[in-house]
Amino acid sequence: MGKKVKKIAANFSKDKVKKPDILVGIKSSSEWERWVPRQLLDSLTDKESFVIYRKDSRSPLVIVGSDETGLLYGCEEMLSQRAFEKEAIAYYDAPEMVLRGTCIGMQKTEYLPGRDVYEYPYNEELFPWFYDKGLWVKYLDMLVENRYNTLYLWNGHPFSSLVKLKDYPYALEVDDATFAKNEDMYTFLTAEANKRGIWVIQMFYNIILPKPFADRHGLKTQERNRVITPLIEDYTRKSIAAFVAKYPNVGLLITLGEAMEGVGQDDINWFTKTILPAVKDGLHAINSAVEPPVILRAHDTDAPAVMKEARPIYKNLYTMAKYNGEALTTYTPRGKWAELHQELGRIGTVHIQNVHILANLEPFRYSAPDFIQQSVKAMHEVHLSNGIHIYPQASYWDWPYTADKVDGRLLQVDRDWMWYKAWARYAWKVSRQKEQDAKYWIRQLASRYGVTEQAAADLLAALNEVGEISPKILRRFGITDGNRQTSSLGMLMTQLINPYRYGLFTLLYESEAPEGEMIIDYAEKKFKGEQHVGETPVQVADEIVAHAEKAVAHVAALEVTASDAAELKRLKNDIYVHEALAKHYSYKVKAAVQVLQYKYTRDVESLRLAVPDLERSVDAYKRLAQLTAGSYLYANSMQTKQRKIPMRGVNATFKHWTEMLPVYEAELANFKRSIDSLSKSEGMLKQQRHKLEVAPVVLPEDVQLVTLKKGANLYLDQELVVTHLPEEFEGLQAVMIDAGKQKQEGTTLSFEATGPVKVLVGYFNSTDKVFAPKPVLEIDATANDHGQADTKVRNALRVQYMPMIDVHSYSFAVGKQELKLPKGEAIILGFVNDTELQHPYNADVDNRGDDVDDLFGYYGEIKL
């Protein structure tokens, strides 16, 4: 700023002010009307608002903030605009979203030995970056540059790394030296954040116990259907109280569900009778009346019901819910999920949008200002929200690094600068003049990569085109909005033509996509000649290729000789990657529609017509594998047993496109062989199924069994008999159940296994709350601990007057075991050898038409 800056002052008298001076302060600190018109000063009513004013060249430049953060933003804006060079300026600004934050996961790509999901103590071995103060300063500076005012730290149970308890000293999960470092780092982080107007918020799940505490008391660290005991309540309450007393300026973000069974009185009681009283205990211990903010996350809980009981006893409450699940799919949210957001938005507290995980975007670069701006508009207008919480664009589980395959590792904060900048820009102010907004991004890209403005304009156009591809793929072809699906790795044909086999998460289509059709619906309407509705699969298949080809055309001539040539080269490669991905999906979706015609025609020619498109899809995937072989380490940063689609990714397998290419090649070869076989036979290929081998188990004396067959009554308290079941299930020893008790208490069955065993559980195909919910990874991270997340046998059983039953299997080892099922009706069909039911199938006991999954055979031992 040179010689123009001679003084910075907050309290001053008129005779001390000279015309080159810059006067800064908050609204309440001086009589600003001497230099600033009253009308401008009166506009400073919102938190973080500011005014930059100079009457003329003879007057001082004045920056006034409504509060300290507003003043900080005003000074930053003054530098950005070079307002100190202007002879006159009258500028006012204020944020539209009250809370604007990002998150960092204290998480890892794999589970720790002997632990479950989210259980990661704070130590240097797991999180060396957490102790890097320079990295924290860099990140916090990025936040304040983009006017973020919140930083969330996500962890399952952080308290056992951050506080010591007199009554439970053995609960501490780190040694004394590490604990001292954690104290130092947490104090440093919160202090540095506060300097930048950033509020730190600590997230945790319920109910997770520290491993040493759990081991001491013979408890599990996590248990979905946990009984809340006085010991667990006392430990948790004292942990939170100690944390609040130690860090009273840190907020709390609470996830009531997932690690405990959500949606019920238990989680309401836990929040209102344990968590909130614990916060008050901590305040009482330090004699403070200032309530730290507490954010209730509406995940696997009835958030409106919880808030209704919580608000009378605690005032500083907020709510949060996922915007598009664990993905980014649409800026036209609707349906039941939108209704929940709206209900929370009308409560009267600030409702925050969580842009979560982004499983469909990773690992590629995503920075599409147009899509992001439209999404923020939807947050305001549809979801009635006034806060935003942004996950890393990719590699959340691998923070602070990206998945790029380079010498060393790239930092997310560097690579994904535009992701953070775009969400922050529109959270501050969403409606911007289109031409001026484009110029802003062109300047940013030109400056970042050292290219001409024309090249930057082409790059911006390409990024906006690419920005439509992954959202459209998932919302029109996908199985789930959750991170059990990695959509950048593609999908099996059976996942496209039979999504229900894979646990279709219908909210994806009903709320997180525009009105439209699934592939299976489209194919049926096509065969019947019925009118299509809304966005269709074939329409999207064409659109994603068009987006990709336009993007490639914009960057094809881009000279990669810029100041940051290596990163620009990687960004350009990502655009070609999206082209290959779009073509793979486009061809495969069209092949899927054609394959489904066979269900109606039973004409092998219907299958032959699908071969060319399926071949093209594999060719496109080969190109995708080539482009990623040397550029990416992995597709998904969550590399655990929760990953299911396109392949089960336990122990970091099937995480790269080069691993998936042989799968898709086998799928194509199997399909061709099936067509040849069908040409020589009549009708659909059928697999013979053998009777299931009953496994001996020892059960409590009060457990009653019944032989499974048609006409058998499986209930102790009602007369409802089995009307349909597959032959291979006949002779199993089913457990007779008390349906009334199940609805109230759930099911706990103790038994002793003499060998590895599967327990077969029948879940009713109904969302009515009288029935037990199926294990769903979207809301329960432990839903596959026993292999139960997959439906093993679809359409397997029918009890009179009841919905169709699907069978899930729970695998247990030798020894004393316990099966726990959630509240609601379900049936336990028996115990079989653990080698049984290795591959899922459709029993089709109602004869509604078998699916065509068997056309695609196996990849090794894995049924495709």
Side-chain angles (χ1 to χ4, degrees), residues 354-399:
N354 181 199
V355 182
H356 194 86
I357 290 290
L358 293 315
N360 68 320
L361 302 187
E362 72 171 353
F364 312 126
R365 291 155 180 78
Y366 186 97
S367 43
D370 284 359
F371 200 102
I372 291 172
Q373 182 183 32
Q374 292 289 88
S375 296
V376 176
K377 282 184 179 179
M379 292 173 180
H380 283 298
E381 297 171 4
V382 180
H383 284 178
L384 307 182
S385 190
N386 202 25
I388 196 166
H389 171 35
I390 306 300
Y391 260 54
Q393 186 260 298
S395 301
Y396 165 74
W397 302 91
D398 201 15
W399 179 269

Short mmCIF file of all heavy atoms in Angstrom, two decimals, residues 354-399:
data_model
loop_
_atom_site.label_atom_id
_atom_site.label_comp_id
_atom_site.label_asym_id
_atom_site.label_seq_id
_atom_site.Cartn_x
_atom_site.Cartn_y
_atom_site.Cartn_z
N ASN A 354 -24.78 -30.12 5.13
CA ASN A 354 -23.53 -30.86 5.15
C ASN A 354 -23.28 -31.46 3.77
O ASN A 354 -23.97 -32.39 3.36
CB ASN A 354 -23.61 -31.94 6.23
CG ASN A 354 -22.35 -32.77 6.36
OD1 ASN A 354 -22.37 -33.84 6.91
ND2 ASN A 354 -21.24 -32.27 5.86
N VAL A 355 -22.31 -30.91 3.05
CA VAL A 355 -21.89 -31.49 1.77
C VAL A 355 -20.88 -32.58 2.12
O VAL A 355 -19.73 -32.32 2.42
CB VAL A 355 -21.28 -30.42 0.85
CG1 VAL A 355 -20.89 -31.01 -0.50
CG2 VAL A 355 -22.28 -29.28 0.65
N HIS A 356 -21.34 -33.84 2.07
CA HIS A 356 -20.75 -34.92 2.84
C HIS A 356 -20.05 -35.98 1.99
O HIS A 356 -20.61 -36.46 1.00
CB HIS A 356 -21.88 -35.58 3.66
CG HIS A 356 -21.45 -36.49 4.73
ND1 HIS A 356 -21.14 -36.07 6.00
CD2 HIS A 356 -21.28 -37.83 4.75
CE1 HIS A 356 -20.81 -37.09 6.76
NE2 HIS A 356 -20.88 -38.19 6.02
N ILE A 357 -18.84 -36.34 2.35
CA ILE A 357 -18.05 -37.44 1.79
C ILE A 357 -17.72 -37.28 0.30
O ILE A 357 -16.60 -37.40 -0.10
CB ILE A 357 -18.72 -38.82 2.03
CG1 ILE A 357 -18.65 -39.17 3.52
CG2 ILE A 357 -18.03 -39.92 1.23
CD1 ILE A 357 -17.26 -39.50 4.04
N LEU A 358 -18.73 -37.03 -0.56
CA LEU A 358 -18.54 -36.88 -2.01
C LEU A 358 -17.98 -38.15 -2.64
O LEU A 358 -17.03 -38.15 -3.43
CB LEU A 358 -17.63 -35.69 -2.34
CG LEU A 358 -18.14 -34.29 -2.03
CD1 LEU A 358 -19.58 -34.10 -2.48
CD2 LEU A 358 -18.01 -33.89 -0.59
N ALA A 359 -18.60 -39.28 -2.30
CA ALA A 359 -18.13 -40.58 -2.78
C ALA A 359 -18.23 -40.70 -4.30
O ALA A 359 -17.52 -41.52 -4.90
CB ALA A 359 -18.93 -41.71 -2.12
N ASN A 360 -19.10 -39.92 -4.93
CA ASN A 360 -19.21 -40.02 -6.38
C ASN A 360 -18.25 -39.08 -7.11
O ASN A 360 -18.11 -39.18 -8.33
CB ASN A 360 -20.64 -39.76 -6.84
CG ASN A 360 -21.08 -38.32 -6.63
OD1 ASN A 360 -20.76 -37.71 -5.59
ND2 ASN A 360 -21.81 -37.76 -7.56
N LEU A 361 -17.60 -38.19 -6.39
CA LEU A 361 -16.67 -37.27 -7.04
C LEU A 361 -15.22 -37.75 -6.95
O LEU A 361 -14.41 -37.44 -7.83
CB LEU A 361 -16.76 -35.88 -6.40
CG LEU A 361 -18.12 -35.18 -6.42
CD1 LEU A 361 -17.97 -33.76 -5.89
CD2 LEU A 361 -18.75 -35.19 -7.80
N GLU A 362 -14.91 -38.46 -5.85
CA GLU A 362 -13.50 -38.81 -5.68
C GLU A 362 -13.08 -39.88 -6.68
O GLU A 362 -13.91 -40.67 -7.12
CB GLU A 362 -13.23 -39.24 -4.23
CG GLU A 362 -13.77 -40.57 -3.80
CD GLU A 362 -13.25 -40.96 -2.41
OE1 GLU A 362 -12.37 -40.28 -1.84
OE2 GLU A 362 -13.70 -41.99 -1.91
N PRO A 363 -11.81 -39.85 -7.06
CA PRO A 363 -10.73 -39.02 -6.55
C PRO A 363 -10.42 -37.83 -7.43
O PRO A 363 -9.47 -37.10 -7.17
CB PRO A 363 -9.56 -39.99 -6.57
CG PRO A 363 -9.77 -40.75 -7.84
CD PRO A 363 -11.27 -40.92 -7.95
N PHE A 364 -11.18 -37.64 -8.49
CA PHE A 364 -10.82 -36.65 -9.50
C PHE A 364 -11.12 -35.22 -9.03
O PHE A 364 -11.96 -35.00 -8.17
CB PHE A 364 -11.55 -36.93 -10.82
CG PHE A 364 -11.46 -38.37 -11.24
CD1 PHE A 364 -12.60 -39.10 -11.52
CD2 PHE A 364 -10.23 -39.00 -11.35
CE1 PHE A 364 -12.53 -40.43 -11.89
CE2 PHE A 364 -10.15 -40.33 -11.72
CZ PHE A 364 -11.30 -41.05 -11.99
N ARG A 365 -10.45 -34.27 -9.63
CA ARG A 365 -10.67 -32.86 -9.31
C ARG A 365 -12.09 -32.44 -9.70
O ARG A 365 -12.54 -32.77 -10.79
CB ARG A 365 -9.65 -31.99 -10.04
CG ARG A 365 -8.24 -32.16 -9.52
CD ARG A 365 -7.19 -31.80 -10.57
NE ARG A 365 -5.85 -31.97 -10.04
CZ ARG A 365 -5.23 -33.15 -9.90
NH1 ARG A 365 -5.86 -34.27 -10.27
NH2 ARG A 365 -4.02 -33.21 -9.40
N TYR A 366 -12.74 -31.72 -8.81
CA TYR A 366 -14.09 -31.22 -9.11
C TYR A 366 -14.14 -29.76 -8.66
O TYR A 366 -13.97 -29.46 -7.49
CB TYR A 366 -15.16 -32.02 -8.37
CG TYR A 366 -16.57 -31.61 -8.75
CD1 TYR A 366 -17.28 -32.33 -9.70
CD2 TYR A 366 -17.18 -30.50 -8.19
CE1 TYR A 366 -18.57 -31.96 -10.07
CE2 TYR A 366 -18.46 -30.11 -8.56
CZ TYR A 366 -19.15 -30.85 -9.50
OH TYR A 366 -20.42 -30.46 -9.87
N SER A 367 -14.37 -28.89 -9.62
CA SER A 367 -14.49 -27.47 -9.28
C SER A 367 -15.35 -26.80 -10.34
O SER A 367 -14.86 -26.13 -11.24
CB SER A 367 -13.11 -26.80 -9.21
OG SER A 367 -12.28 -27.21 -10.29
N ALA A 368 -16.65 -27.05 -10.23
CA ALA A 368 -17.63 -26.55 -11.20
C ALA A 368 -18.44 -25.43 -10.54
O ALA A 368 -19.43 -25.71 -9.86
CB ALA A 368 -18.54 -27.67 -11.67
N PRO A 369 -18.06 -24.17 -10.71
CA PRO A 369 -18.78 -23.09 -10.04
C PRO A 369 -20.28 -23.06 -10.33
O PRO A 369 -21.08 -22.77 -9.44
CB PRO A 369 -18.09 -21.82 -10.57
CG PRO A 369 -16.72 -22.27 -10.95
CD PRO A 369 -16.89 -23.68 -11.46
N ASP A 370 -20.66 -23.38 -11.56
CA ASP A 370 -22.09 -23.34 -11.92
C ASP A 370 -22.90 -24.32 -11.08
O ASP A 370 -23.96 -23.98 -10.54
CB ASP A 370 -22.28 -23.64 -13.41
CG ASP A 370 -21.91 -22.47 -14.29
OD1 ASP A 370 -21.53 -21.41 -13.75
OD2 ASP A 370 -21.99 -22.62 -15.53
N PHE A 371 -22.42 -25.57 -10.97
CA PHE A 371 -23.15 -26.58 -10.22
C PHE A 371 -23.18 -26.23 -8.74
O PHE A 371 -24.20 -26.36 -8.05
CB PHE A 371 -22.50 -27.96 -10.41
CG PHE A 371 -23.41 -29.11 -10.09
CD1 PHE A 371 -24.03 -29.83 -11.09
CD2 PHE A 371 -23.65 -29.48 -8.77
CE1 PHE A 371 -24.87 -30.89 -10.80
CE2 PHE A 371 -24.50 -30.54 -8.46
CZ PHE A 371 -25.11 -31.25 -9.48
N ILE A 372 -22.06 -25.75 -8.23
CA ILE A 372 -21.98 -25.40 -6.81
C ILE A 372 -22.89 -24.23 -6.49
O ILE A 372 -23.60 -24.24 -5.47
CB ILE A 372 -20.51 -25.10 -6.44
CG1 ILE A 372 -19.70 -26.40 -6.50
CG2 ILE A 372 -20.42 -24.46 -5.06
CD1 ILE A 372 -18.20 -26.22 -6.35
N GLN A 373 -22.91 -23.22 -7.35
CA GLN A 373 -23.78 -22.07 -7.11
C GLN A 373 -25.26 -22.48 -7.09
O GLN A 373 -26.02 -22.07 -6.20
CB GLN A 373 -23.56 -21.02 -8.19
CG GLN A 373 -24.40 -19.74 -7.98
CD GLN A 373 -24.22 -18.74 -9.10
OE1 GLN A 373 -24.00 -19.12 -10.26
NE2 GLN A 373 -24.29 -17.46 -8.78
N GLN A 374 -25.64 -23.33 -8.04
CA GLN A 374 -27.03 -23.80 -8.07
C GLN A 374 -27.37 -24.62 -6.83
O GLN A 374 -28.49 -24.56 -6.32
CB GLN A 374 -27.26 -24.63 -9.33
CG GLN A 374 -27.20 -23.84 -10.63
CD GLN A 374 -28.41 -22.92 -10.78
OE1 GLN A 374 -28.40 -21.79 -10.31
NE2 GLN A 374 -29.45 -23.43 -11.40
N SER A 375 -26.40 -25.37 -6.34
CA SER A 375 -26.63 -26.17 -5.13
C SER A 375 -26.85 -25.28 -3.92
O SER A 375 -27.72 -25.55 -3.08
CB SER A 375 -25.44 -27.11 -4.89
OG SER A 375 -25.31 -28.04 -5.95
N VAL A 376 -26.07 -24.22 -3.80
CA VAL A 376 -26.24 -23.31 -2.66
C VAL A 376 -27.60 -22.61 -2.74
O VAL A 376 -28.27 -22.41 -1.72
CB VAL A 376 -25.10 -22.29 -2.60
CG1 VAL A 376 -25.32 -21.28 -1.47
CG2 VAL A 376 -23.77 -23.00 -2.38
N LYS A 377 -28.04 -22.27 -3.94
CA LYS A 377 -29.39 -21.70 -4.10
C LYS A 377 -30.44 -22.67 -3.59
O LYS A 377 -31.39 -22.28 -2.90
CB LYS A 377 -29.65 -21.38 -5.58
CG LYS A 377 -29.00 -20.10 -6.08
CD LYS A 377 -29.41 -19.83 -7.52
CE LYS A 377 -28.78 -18.53 -8.02
NZ LYS A 377 -29.14 -18.26 -9.44
N ALA A 378 -30.28 -23.95 -3.92
CA ALA A 378 -31.24 -24.96 -3.46
C ALA A 378 -31.20 -25.09 -1.95
O ALA A 378 -32.24 -25.32 -1.31
CB ALA A 378 -30.93 -26.30 -4.12
N MET A 379 -30.04 -24.95 -1.36
CA MET A 379 -29.93 -25.00 0.10
C MET A 379 -30.79 -23.92 0.74
O MET A 379 -31.47 -24.15 1.74
CB MET A 379 -28.47 -24.84 0.53
CG MET A 379 -27.58 -26.00 0.15
SD MET A 379 -25.85 -25.63 0.51
CE MET A 379 -25.06 -27.15 -0.03
N HIS A 380 -30.73 -22.72 0.18
CA HIS A 380 -31.54 -21.62 0.69
C HIS A 380 -33.02 -21.82 0.39
O HIS A 380 -33.87 -21.78 1.29
CB HIS A 380 -31.10 -20.30 0.04
CG HIS A 380 -29.84 -19.73 0.58
ND1 HIS A 380 -29.69 -19.33 1.89
CD2 HIS A 380 -28.65 -19.45 -0.02
CE1 HIS A 380 -28.48 -18.84 2.08
NE2 HIS A 380 -27.82 -18.90 0.94
N GLU A 381 -33.32 -22.03 -0.88
CA GLU A 381 -34.70 -21.95 -1.36
C GLU A 381 -35.51 -23.22 -1.12
O GLU A 381 -36.71 -23.14 -0.86
CB GLU A 381 -34.70 -21.60 -2.86
CG GLU A 381 -34.08 -20.22 -3.14
CD GLU A 381 -33.88 -19.97 -4.62
OE1 GLU A 381 -34.29 -20.84 -5.43
OE2 GLU A 381 -33.31 -18.92 -4.98
N VAL A 382 -34.87 -24.38 -1.22
CA VAL A 382 -35.60 -25.64 -1.04
C VAL A 382 -35.43 -26.17 0.38
O VAL A 382 -36.40 -26.55 1.03
CB VAL A 382 -35.13 -26.70 -2.06
CG1 VAL A 382 -35.90 -28.00 -1.87
CG2 VAL A 382 -35.31 -26.19 -3.49
N HIS A 383 -34.20 -26.18 0.87
CA HIS A 383 -33.92 -26.75 2.19
C HIS A 383 -34.01 -25.75 3.33
O HIS A 383 -33.80 -26.12 4.50
CB HIS A 383 -32.55 -27.41 2.18
CG HIS A 383 -32.51 -28.73 1.48
ND1 HIS A 383 -31.35 -29.47 1.33
CD2 HIS A 383 -33.49 -29.48 0.90
CE1 HIS A 383 -31.63 -30.59 0.68
NE2 HIS A 383 -32.91 -30.61 0.41
N LEU A 384 -34.27 -24.51 3.03
CA LEU A 384 -34.49 -23.46 4.05
C LEU A 384 -33.32 -23.41 5.04
O LEU A 384 -33.50 -23.37 6.26
CB LEU A 384 -35.81 -23.71 4.80
CG LEU A 384 -37.06 -23.89 3.94
CD1 LEU A 384 -38.29 -24.07 4.81
CD2 LEU A 384 -37.24 -22.73 2.97
N SER A 385 -32.13 -23.41 4.49
CA SER A 385 -30.94 -23.52 5.31
C SER A 385 -30.14 -22.22 5.30
O SER A 385 -30.16 -21.47 4.33
CB SER A 385 -30.07 -24.66 4.79
OG SER A 385 -29.03 -24.94 5.69
N ASN A 386 -29.40 -22.00 6.39
CA ASN A 386 -28.62 -20.78 6.52
C ASN A 386 -27.21 -21.07 7.02
O ASN A 386 -26.59 -20.24 7.66
CB ASN A 386 -29.33 -19.80 7.47
CG ASN A 386 -28.88 -18.37 7.25
OD1 ASN A 386 -28.43 -18.01 6.16
ND2 ASN A 386 -28.97 -17.56 8.28
N GLY A 387 -26.73 -22.27 6.73
CA GLY A 387 -25.37 -22.63 7.10
C GLY A 387 -24.87 -23.73 6.19
O GLY A 387 -25.65 -24.46 5.58
N ILE A 388 -23.55 -23.83 6.09
CA ILE A 388 -22.97 -24.81 5.18
C ILE A 388 -21.73 -25.44 5.82
O ILE A 388 -20.98 -24.77 6.54
CB ILE A 388 -22.63 -24.17 3.81
CG1 ILE A 388 -22.40 -25.22 2.74
CG2 ILE A 388 -21.44 -23.23 3.92
CD1 ILE A 388 -22.40 -24.66 1.34
N HIS A 389 -21.56 -26.72 5.59
CA HIS A 389 -20.47 -27.49 6.17
C HIS A 389 -19.91 -28.37 5.06
O HIS A 389 -20.58 -29.29 4.59
CB HIS A 389 -21.01 -28.32 7.34
CG HIS A 389 -20.05 -29.33 7.89
ND1 HIS A 389 -18.71 -29.12 7.96
CD2 HIS A 389 -20.26 -30.57 8.41
CE1 HIS A 389 -18.13 -30.18 8.52
NE2 HIS A 389 -19.05 -31.08 8.78
N ILE A 390 -18.67 -28.09 4.62
CA ILE A 390 -18.11 -28.70 3.42
C ILE A 390 -17.07 -29.75 3.77
O ILE A 390 -16.10 -29.48 4.48
CB ILE A 390 -17.44 -27.61 2.53
CG1 ILE A 390 -18.42 -26.49 2.24
CG2 ILE A 390 -16.92 -28.24 1.24
CD1 ILE A 390 -19.66 -26.91 1.53
N TYR A 391 -17.26 -30.95 3.24
CA TYR A 391 -16.25 -31.99 3.33
C TYR A 391 -15.14 -31.74 2.31
O TYR A 391 -15.36 -31.04 1.31
CB TYR A 391 -16.89 -33.35 3.06
CG TYR A 391 -17.22 -34.15 4.28
CD1 TYR A 391 -18.00 -33.63 5.30
CD2 TYR A 391 -16.74 -35.45 4.43
CE1 TYR A 391 -18.30 -34.38 6.43
CE2 TYR A 391 -17.04 -36.20 5.55
CZ TYR A 391 -17.82 -35.66 6.55
OH TYR A 391 -18.11 -36.41 7.66
N PRO A 392 -13.98 -32.34 2.51
CA PRO A 392 -12.97 -32.31 1.44
C PRO A 392 -13.57 -32.86 0.16
O PRO A 392 -14.41 -33.75 0.19
CB PRO A 392 -11.85 -33.21 1.98
CG PRO A 392 -12.02 -33.18 3.46
CD PRO A 392 -13.50 -33.07 3.70
N GLN A 393 -13.09 -32.35 -0.97
CA GLN A 393 -13.67 -32.75 -2.25
C GLN A 393 -13.40 -34.22 -2.55
O GLN A 393 -14.20 -34.89 -3.21
CB GLN A 393 -13.10 -31.87 -3.37
CG GLN A 393 -13.75 -32.09 -4.72
CD GLN A 393 -12.92 -32.98 -5.61
OE1 GLN A 393 -11.80 -32.63 -5.95
NE2 GLN A 393 -13.46 -34.12 -6.00
N ALA A 394 -12.31 -34.74 -2.06
CA ALA A 394 -11.97 -36.16 -2.28
C ALA A 394 -11.01 -36.59 -1.17
O ALA A 394 -10.42 -35.76 -0.47
CB ALA A 394 -11.30 -36.35 -3.64
N SER A 395 -10.89 -37.91 -1.00
CA SER A 395 -9.92 -38.48 -0.05
C SER A 395 -10.12 -38.03 1.38
O SER A 395 -9.15 -37.80 2.11
CB SER A 395 -8.48 -38.15 -0.51
OG SER A 395 -8.23 -38.66 -1.79
N TYR A 396 -11.37 -37.94 1.81
CA TYR A 396 -11.65 -37.55 3.20
C TYR A 396 -10.92 -38.45 4.20
O TYR A 396 -10.39 -37.98 5.21
CB TYR A 396 -13.17 -37.63 3.43
CG TYR A 396 -13.57 -37.62 4.89
CD1 TYR A 396 -13.52 -36.46 5.64
CD2 TYR A 396 -14.00 -38.79 5.52
CE1 TYR A 396 -13.89 -36.44 6.98
CE2 TYR A 396 -14.38 -38.79 6.85
CZ TYR A 396 -14.32 -37.61 7.58
OH TYR A 396 -14.68 -37.61 8.90
N TRP A 397 -10.88 -39.76 3.92
CA TRP A 397 -10.29 -40.71 4.86
C TRP A 397 -8.77 -40.70 4.82
O TRP A 397 -8.12 -41.41 5.59
CB TRP A 397 -10.80 -42.12 4.56
CG TRP A 397 -12.29 -42.23 4.61
CD1 TRP A 397 -13.16 -42.05 3.58
CD2 TRP A 397 -13.10 -42.49 5.76
NE1 TRP A 397 -14.46 -42.20 4.00
CE2 TRP A 397 -14.45 -42.46 5.35
CE3 TRP A 397 -12.81 -42.76 7.10
CZ2 TRP A 397 -15.51 -42.68 6.21
CZ3 TRP A 397 -13.87 -42.99 7.97
CH2 TRP A 397 -15.20 -42.95 7.52
N ASP A 398 -8.19 -39.94 3.90
CA ASP A 398 -6.74 -39.91 3.72
C ASP A 398 -6.17 -38.51 3.92
O ASP A 398 -5.11 -38.20 3.38
CB ASP A 398 -6.39 -40.43 2.32
CG ASP A 398 -4.95 -40.91 2.20
OD1 ASP A 398 -4.29 -41.11 3.24
OD2 ASP A 398 -4.47 -41.08 1.07
N TRP A 399 -6.89 -37.66 4.65
CA TRP A 399 -6.42 -36.29 4.90
C TRP A 399 -5.00 -36.35 5.51
O TRP A 399 -4.73 -37.21 6.34
CB TRP A 399 -7.39 -35.58 5.85
CG TRP A 399 -6.96 -34.18 6.16
CD1 TRP A 399 -6.17 -33.77 7.18
CD2 TRP A 399 -7.28 -33.02 5.40
NE1 TRP A 399 -5.97 -32.41 7.11
CE2 TRP A 399 -6.64 -31.93 6.03
CE3 TRP A 399 -8.03 -32.79 4.25
CZ2 TRP A 399 -6.73 -30.63 5.54
CZ3 TRP A 399 -8.12 -31.50 3.77
CH2 TRP A 399 -7.49 -30.44 4.41
#
